[in-house]
Amino acid sequence: MTGTTRSSAEIDPRRKRILFRCWHRGIREMDLVLGSFADAEIETLDEAELDELERIMAEEDNDLVKWVTGEKPVPDAFRDGLFPRIAAYRPDFSPLFKDDRA
């Protein structure tokens, strides 16, 4: 099951493939981290950022989780650029907690 809230119908095949892979990682925590980031940012990433995202996605999920949570230091290769943006991204969950009684 995917958690995506966006349609991929209007995006090019590479972005569509990356979006799908971000939501189907194997570890649900990374689905949420990468998938939520991709939902919000996939259309605005340039080609170099897409390349970098694919390099990040090639890393093991267990390592990614530890880097995002701070359990392990982020490798030098990922300290700058896109990874800090991914690690800092916080999705807007407010639609999930909307109070319909108001």
Side-chain angles (χ1 to χ4, degrees):
M1 172 194 261
T2 179
T4 190
T5 57
R6 72 171 337 276
S7 169
S8 62
E10 301 292 325
I11 60 176
D12 65 79
R14 181 182 187 195
R15 291 172 200 275
K16 197 178 292 193
R17 182 180 66 250
I18 291 170
L19 181 64
F20 179 86
R21 287 179 51 215
C22 283
W23 277 109
H24 296 85
R25 298 292 306 168
I27 294 180
R28 188 64 181 152
E29 291 84 355
M30 287 316 301
D31 290 353
L32 293 170
V33 169
L34 288 174
S36 296
F37 177 82
D39 271 359
E41 304 288 333
I42 195 75
E43 289 185 87
T44 62
L45 298 177
D46 62 30
E47 292 299 315
E49 290 171 324
L50 291 174
D51 292 343
E52 187 176 356
L53 179 55
E54 289 182 317
R55 281 192 303 276
I56 291 167
M57 291 168 45
E59 296 295 323
E60 293 291 326
D61 282 339
N62 287 326
D63 291 333
L64 290 170
V65 167
K66 290 174 183 174
W67 300 339
V68 167
T69 62
E71 186 178 333
K72 271 178 75 173
V74 177
D76 290 341
F78 297 124
R79 287 198 184 178
D80 297 320
L82 198 58
F83 188 81
R85 285 176 49 198
I86 293 168
Y89 181 77
R90 299 293 180 261
D92 178 10
F93 290 118
S94 60
L96 299 176
F97 300 105
K98 183 178 177 185
D99 185 357
D100 290 332
R101 295 172 289 170

